[in-house]
Amino acid sequence: MDDDFELELQKTFFQEASINIEESEEVYLQFSDNTPIDLLARSFRLAHNLKGSAKAVGFSEIAEILHTLETLLLKLKKKEIEVNNSIINVLLMTNDKLKEIIEQYKNDLNFKPNQKEIIEEITKVLQESQKNSPNDNTDNKVTLEDNKETPQEEVVFFKKEKKEDNKVNHDVKIQKNKIKKEMSEEIIRIPLNKIEKLQNYIGEIVIIQSMFEEQIKNSTNQNLKNHFRLLNKTTKEVQDIVMNLRLVPIKPAFQKLARTARDTSVMLNKEIILNFLGENTEIDKFILDEISDPLMHMVRNAIDHGLESNEERLQKNKNKEGTVTVKASHESGNLILCVQDDGKGLNPKTLYEIATKKGVIKGNETLSDEECYHLIFAPGFSTKAETTEISGRGVGMDVVKTNIEMLSGKIEIFTEIDKGTTFKIKIPLSVGILDAFITEIANEKFIIPVNQVIECLSLNKSNINHLTGMESVIILRSEEIPIVDLSMGLQNKYNDKNKINEKVIIIVQSNGKKIGVIVDKIISIQSVVTKTIGEEMRCEKGIVGSVILGDGKVVPILEVSELITGNMFQQNVQRNKSILSSKAG
């Protein structure tokens, strides 16, 4: 076989094996005392397919493990043995081992794995299960080490395998042809860095386009303007395609959580129910990679710290099984992730005392309940008196917070004693390029992303009451919506020279509530290329990034609902209201 072709086959195997192993783990985690036959058949099919692929590319050790695994899965499929915790444990352990070996092969194709240990584990649990099986029949006992002693029924299986040995070459050929066909016709797998490179070029085109637009604004050449509009339309279509290429469902991250939750609950002897909502929510691949570990830590924490023991829950008249729910959704251009438990909740006094004892705070500060909840994100903080394998080292939630903030995300905590705790994570969904309103507020330009906006109204034609500060409202289709003048909060000294008939109210929505914000002017609606902001700007609530416009100016991106709740914004509003009141009075 040609070396290049063999190398391509091996690369394809790694990609397919990764998907296969993830799917297998998902299936094993669904195993229960009464596992449906179709789930058992699916697990067998996955193992069999991977075995065939491994043989095709010469990874015989992997094929040997899967051959033994197939024996166990076949017994389950035929209901000759019953699913139990020991079997699920060994299935997951085998999956981990396969994942480890494949990772080693990726680094070194000459790697020599040790497969004997895991094969012994599978064999051991199979033999024990057969002893305890109600269908146990000594005539049907399996001795994997010695095919001569294999019982009649198992012999049939191995005979089938022997017959299949004659078919192996044929199967290998089919497998190779299948891979070759997929590579050439159906699926083209593209490395993420190539997509990122393409996205960067699209970003550059969008910036150049903005510069070009500035140049032709005053041109009288209609043909040139028409061609520019056509260029805009085509660029937008290409941009949308590139952005969609990066989107993937969050389901793989949820699958890892299922495994983490199972292992943690078994280790802590806590019975739990794990719910997932919104597993098909699509997010950027980069965010998916970065969010997996923080989510795993939060779920582990919810089970360890949030949920009471089975006995404590019964004493509190709660269900013995604690519930952890993980939910993903989109809201106003953000990815919203919630990790919720129905456990003991956070006690602010206890958190304050622990933080004082551990030296996280001095103990003479006055903290609100919300500030006390956020002490759990302090480095070195832990509510555990003793260090365990899972927690108590004071390392974890601070790392979670750091990772979320690196994604320009934020965490909110909602908690009630004996009712439970919800961690709400908000992360900007888009990276790179977004559609935005370029607005003018107090003679400065600001960006408001289109996905935050519900609709826009002329201030002059709106039905508005009280046009002074935060108390103003608008009646829109019988709905009362609070109004905020952004120029009042974004400038120290209010100096409004803009005509009221040019001003616009932009209606945005956050947490299910509508807010109207007044801007002096909407300059344009266009695609912009986002840039990260420096540390000095990150402390400003409501400023989530920046863009470079066609005139070369760097303009901040506003998260409107957060901006108007920021301390600096509120202080400016109060100061300007006082000045206006004193002038009026």
Side-chain angles (χ1 to χ4, degrees):
M1 188 163 30
D2 179 73
D3 286 348
D4 289 341
F5 181 62
E6 188 174 356
L7 194 61
E8 281 303 314
L9 283 182
Q10 285 166 342
K11 281 182 183 175
T12 307
F13 168 78
F14 292 141
Q15 290 165 348
E16 291 191 340
S18 175
I19 295 168
N20 183 301
I21 283 173
E22 278 186 18
E23 193 177 340
S24 296
E25 186 173 88
E26 182 189 357
V27 171
Y28 298 152
L29 287 169
Q30 293 176 56
F31 276 19
S32 62
D33 293 341
N34 191 20
T35 310
I37 190 68
D38 57 338
L39 208 60
L40 294 167
R42 188 173 156 203
S43 65
F44 180 80
R45 192 170 60 250
L46 285 166
H48 189 71
N49 288 347
L50 189 60
K51 185 178 82 170
S53 300
K55 278 183 179 177
V57 292
F59 296 147
S60 58
E61 293 85 357
I62 292 177
E64 195 178 340
I65 293 171
L66 287 160
H67 180 77
T68 312
L69 185 69
E70 271 186 345
T71 307
L72 174 61
L73 292 171
L74 190 68
K75 289 280 178 188
L76 291 171
K77 189 180 158 193
K78 290 182 175 178
K79 298 288 183 183
E80 292 174 7
I81 57 173
E82 293 178 347
V83 173
N84 57 43
N85 262 339
S86 300
I87 288 179
I88 297 173
N89 287 341
V90 88
L91 289 173
L92 291 170
M93 199 190 303
T94 308
N95 223 41
D96 288 344
K97 185 66 181 176
L98 290 168
K99 198 186 294 181
E100 180 191 319
I101 292 173
I102 288 166
E103 285 303 313
Q104 295 277 8
Y105 269 129
K106 282 182 188 174
N107 296 327
D108 178 10
L109 289 172
N110 296 316
F111 171 66
K112 296 291 177 195
N114 178 6
Q115 74 277 22
K116 286 183 182 173
E117 201 173 311
I118 192 66
I119 287 175
E120 284 172 6
E121 288 290 336
I122 301 169
T123 308
K124 187 178 159 191
V125 80
L126 175 57
Q127 289 173 336
E128 284 174 359
S129 298
Q130 280 199 309
K131 281 179 195 169
N132 299 325
S133 171
N135 302 324
D136 180 36
N137 182 334
T138 48
D139 292 339
N140 285 336
K141 289 280 176 67
V142 176
T143 307
L144 295 171
E145 292 81 358
D146 187 355
N147 284 352
K148 289 180 182 176
E149 295 176 16
T150 305
Q152 191 63 34
E153 192 159 354
E154 191 61 28
V155 169
V156 172
F157 173 66
F158 279 112
K159 276 183 178 175
K160 279 183 181 176
E161 286 296 304
K162 283 177 182 176
K163 284 179 183 174
E164 284 179 359
D165 284 346
N166 296 328
K167 288 172 58 186
V168 166
N169 290 335
H170 178 65
D171 289 346
V172 168
K173 282 178 187 173
I174 291 174
Q175 185 70 17
K176 285 177 183 174
N177 288 336
K178 184 185 166 196
I179 293 168
K180 204 172 177 180
K181 187 181 175 186
E182 285 184 354
M183 286 173 65
S184 60
E185 292 178 9
E186 296 177 1
I187 299 170
I188 300 175
R189 292 189 174 89
I190 304 170
L192 186 60
N193 62 350
K194 286 191 177 177
I195 294 177
E196 285 174 347
K197 202 172 179 181
L198 179 61
Q199 189 184 0
N200 287 337
Y201 278 118
I202 295 289
E204 291 299 318
I205 291 171
V206 170
I207 292 175
I208 294 166
Q209 209 167 256
S210 302
M211 295 164 70
F212 191 28
E213 190 173 17
E214 287 289 319
Q215 298 292 319
I216 65 166
K217 234 177 217 173
N218 301 320
S219 171
T220 54
N221 187 332
Q222 197 53 47
N223 276 342
L224 183 63
K225 288 189 174 182
N226 289 341
H227 291 153
F228 180 73
R229 272 196 286 273
L230 192 60
L231 175 68
N232 258 349
K233 183 175 175 290
T234 310
T235 307
K236 181 74 175 62
E237 284 171 1
V238 176
Q239 174 195 324
D240 288 344
I241 291 169
V242 174
M243 297 301 285
N244 281 330
L245 286 177
R246 295 181 58 100
L247 296 180
V248 291
I250 199 169
K251 191 176 177 180
F254 279 4
Q255 191 177 316
K256 288 180 186 173
L257 298 183
R259 176 67 188 277
T260 300
R262 182 187 184 277
D263 292 349
T264 308
S265 60
V266 168
M267 203 177 292
L268 295 170
N269 198 26
K270 290 183 180 179
E271 293 182 34
I272 68 157
I273 298 170
L274 185 67
N275 295 320
F276 292 123
L277 299 171
E279 61 181 11
N280 291 321
T281 303
E282 289 193 325
I283 64 174
D284 189 275
K285 177 71 170 65
F286 173 74
I287 295 176
L288 178 71
D289 292 341
E290 296 298 315
I291 201 67
S292 293
D293 286 346
L295 274 182
M296 271 201 286
H297 193 89
M298 293 180 80
V299 167
R300 199 182 294 129
N301 235 43
I303 298 169
D304 188 15
H305 296 267
L307 296 180
E308 306 93 335
S309 65
N310 298 343
E311 296 74 24
E312 278 180 280
R313 291 183 66 86
L314 290 173
Q315 284 169 10
K316 291 180 182 178
N317 292 322
K318 289 181 168 182
N319 292 332
K320 187 168 73 170
E321 301 90 0
T323 302
V324 176
T325 302
V326 186
K327 181 182 175 186
S329 60
H330 293 161
E331 183 182 295
S332 299
N334 294 296
L335 168 67
I336 307 292
L337 294 166
C338 290
V339 180
Q340 182 179 35
D341 68 67
D342 67 344
K344 59 185 91 166
L346 295 174
N347 186 327
K349 288 182 183 173
T350 306
L351 294 173
Y352 187 92
E353 286 168 8
I354 293 171
T356 306
K357 197 174 174 183
K358 289 182 176 287
V360 174
I361 56 173
K362 290 178 182 174
N364 53 3
E365 298 96 332
T366 303
L367 300 182
S368 64
D369 285 356
E370 191 179 345
E371 287 170 326
C372 288
Y373 301 149
H374 280 264
L375 287 171
I376 62 172
F377 296 120
F381 185 89
S382 174
T383 55
K384 282 277 181 178
E386 293 178 7
T387 299
T388 68
E389 192 176 337
I390 296 172
S391 59
R393 299 178 182 87
V395 177
M397 290 304 277
D398 60 323
V399 177
V400 168
K401 190 183 178 195
T402 304
N403 288 358
I404 300 294
E405 286 179 345
M406 280 174 65
L407 295 168
S408 301
K410 293 187 177 171
I411 309 179
E412 292 178 278
I413 302 173
F414 305 91
T415 185
E416 195 176 341
I417 291 175
D418 285 340
K419 297 285 184 186
T421 303
T422 300
F423 291 89
K424 182 179 178 183
I425 302 168
K426 184 156 79 172
I427 298 171
L429 186 62
S430 303
V431 292
I433 305 170
L434 56 84
D435 293 330
F437 286 85
I438 299 175
T439 64
E440 185 177 301
I441 304 165
N443 298 320
E444 297 288 341
K445 288 178 183 172
F446 292 92
I447 300 295
I448 298 178
V450 165
N451 50 33
Q452 291 182 31
V453 178
I454 297 174
E455 61 182 297
C456 301
L457 308 164
S458 163
L459 177 63
N460 193 34
K461 294 178 182 175
S462 63
N463 182 12
I464 195 165
N465 297 322
H466 313 297
L467 193 55
T468 52
M470 303 293 285
E471 291 81 17
S472 301
V473 293
I474 182 175
I475 310 296
L476 185 63
R477 293 185 283 276
S478 304
E479 187 180 2
E480 197 172 87
I481 301 170
I483 298 293
V484 181
D485 189 342
L486 291 185
S487 61
M488 293 273 280
L490 285 171
Q491 58 183 336
N492 288 326
K493 194 174 178 183
Y494 186 67
N495 185 18
D496 190 11
K497 295 179 181 175
N498 293 295
K499 294 175 184 174
I500 194 166
N501 58 359
E502 290 182 356
K503 292 194 175 188
V504 177
I505 301 174
I506 296 179
I507 310 288
V508 299
Q509 186 160 10
S510 176
N511 294 324
K513 293 181 181 176
K514 291 179 182 173
I515 305 163
V517 293
I518 298 172
V519 300
D520 296 336
K521 192 190 293 181
I522 292 178
I523 299 170
S524 64
I525 304 171
Q526 66 181 68
S527 297
V528 292
V529 181
T530 61
K531 302 289 178 186
T532 53
I533 52 175
E535 290 295 329
E536 67 282 358
M537 292 293 285
R538 284 186 188 178
C539 59
E540 289 295 331
K541 200 171 180 183
I543 296 179
V544 294
S546 65
V547 305
I548 301 172
L549 294 183
D551 57 7
K553 286 186 179 174
V554 178
V555 178
I557 304 170
L558 302 182
E559 165 65 57
V560 175
S561 57
E562 282 205 1
L563 176 76
I564 61 177
T565 60
N567 288 334
M568 191 173 289
F569 188 92
Q570 294 281 359
Q571 286 167 10
N572 285 341
V573 168
Q574 293 306 322
R575 187 185 302 114
N576 287 320
K577 279 173 69 178
S578 300
I579 293 169
L580 289 174
S581 296
S582 62
K583 282 181 181 176

